[in-house]
Amino acid sequence: MSEAVMHLLEEAEQLSAPERAELADRIVESLAYEISPELQQAQINEVRRRIYELEAGTVGLVAGSEALAQVRQLLNVAREAS
């Protein structure tokens, strides 16, 4: 991590949670403009594939809270293994 990034991180850590969330949103949004047309098309294709699977009944939806719990569990297992 560069010194500039470390400095920005230190500054960001002094912000309130809502301010950090706004900063994170803006950073992610700024990256969206740098996505290649090929990647954008791949993302659109993936969304369409998932919609088709949902409509066909081959997959089901998972509540956001449940999905996050599953991800956290996987991360914990990975941390314990390393």
Side-chain angles (χ1 to χ4, degrees), residues 40-61:
Q40 288 178 0
Q41 188 58 52
Q43 290 174 326
I44 290 168
N45 293 342
E46 179 66 13
V47 169
R48 287 180 178 154
R49 182 187 67 79
R50 291 180 184 202
I51 290 170
Y52 174 80
E53 288 179 340
L54 278 169
E55 290 175 346
T58 57
V59 297
L61 295 175

Side-chain angles (χ1 to χ4, degrees), residues 33-82:
Y33 298 109
E34 298 180 21
I35 297 174
S36 71
E38 295 83 11
L39 182 54
Q40 288 178 0
Q41 188 58 52
Q43 290 174 326
I44 290 168
N45 293 342
E46 179 66 13
V47 169
R48 287 180 178 154
R49 182 187 67 79
R50 291 180 184 202
I51 290 170
Y52 174 80
E53 288 179 340
L54 278 169
E55 290 175 346
T58 57
V59 297
L61 295 175
V62 176
S65 58
E66 183 181 336
L68 288 174
Q70 291 174 10
V71 169
R72 286 185 184 106
Q73 182 180 12
L74 290 171
L75 288 172
N76 287 335
V77 169
R79 282 188 197 119
E80 291 171 2
S82 59

Side-chain angles (χ1 to χ4, degrees), residues 17-34:
E19 290 170 323
R20 288 192 315 272
E22 175 68 22
L23 177 60
D25 284 344
R26 297 234 178 154
I27 291 171
V28 170
E29 184 178 308
S30 74
L31 295 172
Y33 298 109
E34 298 180 21

Side-chain angles (χ1 to χ4, degrees), residues 10-21:
E10 289 172 4
E11 292 290 319
E13 289 172 341
Q14 302 304 312
L15 299 171
S16 68
E19 290 170 323
R20 288 192 315 272

